[in-house]
Amino acid sequence: SGAASERNFNKQWKEVQERRRFANAQEEALAKMAGNAAAVIPRDVYLEMDMRPKKIMRADEGDAILNDLLPLAKGVDIGKIEYKYRQASDSGNAKTTLSGQTVVNMDKTQYKYDSAIIPVHQDGFGREWREVAGLKSEGFDAFLDDQDNATRSVRRQMVDYVLDGTGIVFNGVSWDGIRNDSRVARVDLDSDGLNVDFTSASTTGADMRVAMKSLRDTLRITNNAYGDATVYVSREIYTNLERHYNENDVGYGTILSDLLKLAGIGAIKESSKLSGNELFMAMMNNEFIQPLVGMGVNTIAVPRVNPFDAHNFITWGAMGIQVKNDYDGKTGVLYAAEFA
């Protein structure tokens, strides 16, 4: 439920604060033993560290995939490595008669389960203890720059995980990425498939419209997934879609504007993570796809043991992705490319 998700997000934030307090307490203890060791991170520096990930995680940075997914996120306990959800079958044998005396076959809903794993995505940065002593007079600005880069690295890693998975298997459960996972519908754009090149200047607007309708219908008709799909395309596709639909009648608009008129196509966005004749579309609704967040992206100090240890930090988050299939295996996410 939404309340449980909010409770888990609050628990995550509490854990971050406790880790920071522990690291600072360790620094204060070291300072009593060695006057050159203290590097307690001030509260205003942590506030700045918390503001920066929010800004970076919401930035486009060449792809809109993570931006669109995160509002659908469900907060889960960090202890959950695997998260299960129930798939319910249809049931019922309704009949219509005049007498109401017909035999009714009793039925019930059948269930089965699928799971998603929630891995940790992380990066780190650090500086030697004497350098940190000098940073105090500069407000720890260099650390903040380091954190920016670490946060961007984690963000890119999360998008890569959504698209390609990691090969990690837990209790027989894995996520192989939108490009490869069996929970995602696949359409071949090659000559032995749909036979369309969305990047080619010789592909007409009419041919692209027919192909996009076919892709849409794979979700709407074959998989019975209703709603408006968001289509993510490579930059090569997007720039080609900006051609006029008909060069002899430029008033007709672009191919892009025409495709957006199709029922069920809510938006078409470019992503730097896709290339060439490659796209995917998804019903951006937590009924079909949902990030599972065990820990929001944050930065914590690694407690030091010795006075001359380097000051190291970890920027990390725990996120899995759940593409939900129904009892019959129908999906609301589709990937299309030229398959060898």
Side-chain angles (χ1 to χ4, degrees), residues 69-123:
L69 283 172
L70 287 179
L72 307 177
K74 178 182 180 69
V76 299
D77 191 282
I78 187 59
K80 284 191 177 295
I81 300 175
E82 177 187 6
Y83 185 88
K84 292 187 177 184
Y85 75 98
R86 189 169 64 184
Q87 300 166 317
S89 72
D90 290 332
S91 64
N93 293 294
K95 296 181 179 180
T96 302
T97 67
L98 288 176
S99 66
Q101 295 179 350
T102 185
V103 175
V104 176
N105 295 322
M106 297 302 172
D107 197 6
K108 65 180 180 181
T109 304
Q110 304 292 325
Y111 297 104
K112 60 183 180 180
Y113 294 84
D114 194 11
S115 301
I117 56 174
I118 305 170
V120 171
H121 314 277
Q122 67 188 75
D123 198 358

Side-chain angles (χ1 to χ4, degrees), residues 209-270:
R209 193 173 195 276
V210 169
M212 188 62 71
K213 282 183 63 179
S214 178
L215 293 171
R216 177 205 64 185
D217 289 347
T218 299
L219 290 184
R220 283 169 62 90
I221 298 176
T222 306
N223 284 277
N224 202 30
Y226 277 87
D228 286 339
T230 301
V231 185
Y232 300 90
V233 302
S234 68
R235 290 171 292 184
E236 295 89 339
I237 292 177
Y238 197 88
T239 192
N240 196 38
L241 296 182
E242 293 179 312
R243 288 165 35 207
H244 288 112
Y245 189 89
N246 186 336
E247 295 298 337
N248 297 321
D249 184 7
V250 296
Y252 195 81
T254 63
I255 299 172
L256 178 63
S257 63
D258 184 70
L259 296 181
L260 288 170
K261 295 175 184 177
L262 292 172
I265 302 297
I268 298 175
K269 303 181 180 183
E270 65 179 345

